[in-house]
Amino acid sequence: MGPLSPVRTLRLWGPRSLGVALGIFMTIGFGLQLWGGPFQRRLPGLQLRQPWAPSLGADVQSCVPRQHLVFLKTHKSGSSSVLNLLHRYGDRHGLRFALPARYQFGYPRLFQASRVKGYNPQGGGTQPSFHILCHHMRFNLKEVLRVMPSDSFFFSIVRDPAALARSAFSYYKSTSSAFRKAPSLAAFLANPRAFYRPGARGDHYARNLLWFDFGLPFPPEMRIKRGSPNFPKDPNSLHLHILPSSAGSRAHVPDPNALSQLAPTVADGRSQPASPATLDLETSSFIQWGIAWLDSVFDLVMVAEYFDESLVLLADALCWGLDDVVGFMHNAQAGGGQGHSAASHGELTAEDRQLTARARAWNNLDWALYLHFNRSLWARIEQYGQSRLQHAVAELRARREALAKHCLVGGEALDPKYITDNKLLPFQFGSAKVLGYVLQSGLSPQDQEECERLATPELQYKDKLDAKQFPPTVSQPLKTSRLFSP
């Protein structure tokens, strides 16, 4: 991609020892608090369109849609649904995806630019740039910026660690040695160290999975044995990028006591206190460094428990139409309720509340991330306007319902046994069935195409984009048919 734009400056650091590393983290964290960094400036106005109709074009303020996007697809956080809308948008607008050779970028190893299909570092300015990077990876900023333009919009999504743990235990039970040895999630969380071994195969799924996906190092007390895939081998593999203020607004850098304050953490938005068991770690300089670094990198972090609200803010930040972010839930497990919290604490049993508390304490780094990004989302909502947001969310949900009735048999996700079209059958993995969609018959060709885009699972859509972007070489016809003679 050539030299990096001065818009993003990389600062490299390399922990040579436990004490030196922690000291550097503290220094960087405090430095970031002094320097700050910008939020992506909010782009006003949503271009509202009716489903299956062109834009109404009513008094929409002028802005340019963002088309250089980096989405960190975190695990079991509703990210497959975000991936589908990115697939659809890029497919519809002829954008170029940075695609893996298979379906992930060498996960759980840190992302490397060399794993992007068609990436040619020797191509100079002759190779076309990529528009969207969005498939599973462990985040590695320096390598991402080798592939993507430096002015790309970076975003991701987080989920309450308690809900994430329930989903991950079911989905990765056969993959994680810790989960595989535990008879149940409750048994695992009652005594996790009886099952969990740092660095064991697949055990990054069993603790602080969000922190891991973001590519952050682990605190000294959690640091694992040398050579494990959970910790980067390259001491220079973690990088800072600082965004200069371009619009006068600056990023929210948390104050040292931010993580011990209250934040809305349940579906009705009411504040719940952080678990006392996690406060000491959450207020540490190490975690403050990690959060400040993520604030300097990511323009938006969505929250799965407020998925629709996050979609509205995403459309606003990207200057997209609301229809561009309307879609169906993907990769949801039967009975999982992916993307939504388990209602409020008042509807949980005592056993559920205990499991929730234990899951958050065990995944304390993820809980710190969740508290911070939940808080920053609500700060952004206040800036956007509560009333305006409620109207947009209601419109989005109405459109989703209309699309489901128009496109889908039964108007909802179905058990995979009812899906006979392999193009729409989601990959089945884990102990719970992964739901999918069956299209209505009799759709017009235009509607059939759009409904297929909405219903296509991530693996099949990736294959479709791959074939479109890298069409197979067509063999030249033979000049004689003698070779085919008997």
Side-chain angles (χ1 to χ4, degrees), residues 325-339:
V325 297
V326 173
F328 305 145
M329 192 65 67
H330 281 264
N331 208 33
Q333 297 171 272
Q338 184 176 3

Side-chain angles (χ1 to χ4, degrees), residues 183-262:
S184 66
L185 178 60
F188 173 79
L189 291 173
N191 187 15
R193 297 191 186 279
F195 308 101
Y196 176 81
R197 294 292 180 271
R201 183 175 178 84
D203 276 7
H204 60 281
Y205 293 117
R207 190 178 194 192
N208 292 313
L209 181 55
L210 292 173
W211 189 274
F212 183 88
D213 284 353
F214 276 108
L216 295 169
F218 284 84
E221 62 271 22
M222 293 184 182
R223 190 175 179 182
I224 63 174
K225 61 186 180 182
R226 185 176 180 85
S228 165
N230 279 30
F231 195 84
K233 296 179 182 179
D234 178 7
N236 294 319
S237 60
L238 293 166
H239 312 277
L240 288 178
H241 83 177
I242 309 299
L243 304 179
S245 177
S246 59
S249 59
R250 301 184 67 81
H252 170 71
V253 178
D255 63 79
N257 298 314
L259 287 174
S260 62
Q261 297 169 0
L262 299 180

Side-chain angles (χ1 to χ4, degrees), residues 358-379:
R358 286 176 172 175
R360 290 171 176 172
W362 174 244
N363 297 284
N364 45 14
L365 301 179
D366 282 4
W367 180 231
L369 291 180
Y370 182 81
L371 286 176
H372 173 74
F373 288 121
N374 187 38
R375 182 181 297 107
S376 67
L377 181 81
W378 281 93

Side-chain angles (χ1 to χ4, degrees), residues 433-455:
K433 295 179 180 178
V434 179
L435 305 179
Y437 300 102
V438 177
L439 299 186
Q440 297 272 19
S441 59
L443 295 170
S444 69
Q446 179 183 357
D447 289 4
Q448 176 76 21
E449 180 181 14
E450 185 62 23
C451 290
E452 280 188 3
R453 284 175 170 160
L454 286 159

Side-chain angles (χ1 to χ4, degrees), residues 76 163-176 179-180 184-185 205 332-336 428-434:
K76 312 313 299 175
L164 192 155
R166 290 179 173 92
S167 180
F169 185 85
S170 171
Y171 198 78
Y172 296 115
K173 187 168 177 58
S174 63
T175 305
S176 166
F179 287 162
R180 188 167 56 249
S184 66
L185 178 60
Y205 293 117
Q333 297 171 272
Q428 299 299 310
F429 190 79
S431 59
K433 295 179 180 178
V434 179

Side-chain angles (χ1 to χ4, degrees), residues 42-46 311-320 384 388:
R42 188 174 61 81
L43 302 171
L46 284 172
L311 288 178
V312 170
L313 295 179
L314 178 66
D316 181 60
L318 297 180
C319 191
W320 287 9
Y384 184 89
R388 181 183 175 209

Side-chain angles (χ1 to χ4, degrees), residues 54-66:
S55 170
L56 299 177
D59 297 328
V60 177
Q61 297 187 35
S62 175
C63 61
V64 179
R66 302 289 297 268

